[in-house]
Amino acid sequence: TAYDVSLVDDSWPKDLFDIISGNTSNSWERLDAGGILSHSFEIDAKRQGMFHGAPAVITYRVPTKVSLQEAYSTPILPLDILAERPTENKLDWRLLAKYGSQLSVVSIVLLFIYLVATPSKASAAKASKKKR
């Protein structure tokens, strides 16, 4: 069991973010072994850009140690805040849906013409026997 658990997440600079609700820090009297605590707050970005946040600092006391213990939360991935992403050149499924039936008919016709126009191995073998 951990006692006097506190969390401080001060990696959100005031010039880039406004805190809408909640606090960036919180404390709990105790955390039982295997227990889970959660903390959340809402922020609003003031401008566009990449943001690399630091992990939150967690301090706690355990009965077997004299000094306070310190741990860090898992850091968040870099945030691309309010970014306008360029469109990616992926296959446009709308075109495939619109012209897919015509494409399949043309493919079947071309396959049929190819099969009719190319001689089979059996007929090629008969033709070579007739020439002898």
Side-chain angles (χ1 to χ4, degrees):
T1 301
Y3 297 95
D4 301 327
V5 179
S6 68
L7 175 136
V8 177
D9 190 359
D10 58 0
S11 66
W12 306 95
K14 299 208 183 301
D15 61 327
L16 295 176
F17 301 97
D18 285 328
I19 297 174
I20 303 298
S21 66
N23 294 315
T24 58
S25 62
N26 202 352
S27 61
W28 298 269
E29 187 177 319
R30 66 184 279 163
L31 172 61
D32 293 324
I36 297 173
L37 295 173
S38 67
H39 173 69
S40 63
F41 54 93
E42 185 178 352
I43 57 175
D44 185 30
K46 293 181 181 178
R47 61 180 179 197
Q48 289 182 331
M50 287 295 288
F51 177 73
H52 300 272
V57 179
I58 302 145
T59 56
Y60 58 96
R61 184 177 55 80
V62 291
T64 57
K65 307 249 179 167
V66 176
S67 62
L68 279 175
Q69 303 298 305
E70 189 173 88
Y72 298 96
S73 69
T74 304
I76 61 170
L77 296 173
L79 299 174
D80 199 359
I81 300 170
L82 302 173
E84 296 175 12
R85 297 178 185 245
T87 57
E88 296 178 11
N89 293 331
K90 291 185 176 179
L91 176 64
D92 193 356
W93 292 104
R94 290 175 292 170
L95 288 176
L96 188 60
K98 187 175 181 180
Y99 299 110
S101 60
Q102 288 95 348
L103 183 63
S104 63
V105 169
V106 169
S107 299
I108 291 171
V109 169
L110 289 175
L111 179 63
F112 179 75
I113 292 171
Y114 172 76
L115 292 174
V116 169
T118 55
S120 68
K121 291 181 182 178
S123 63
K126 287 180 185 176
S128 66
K129 285 182 181 178
K130 288 182 182 178
K131 288 182 183 178
R132 289 185 199 172

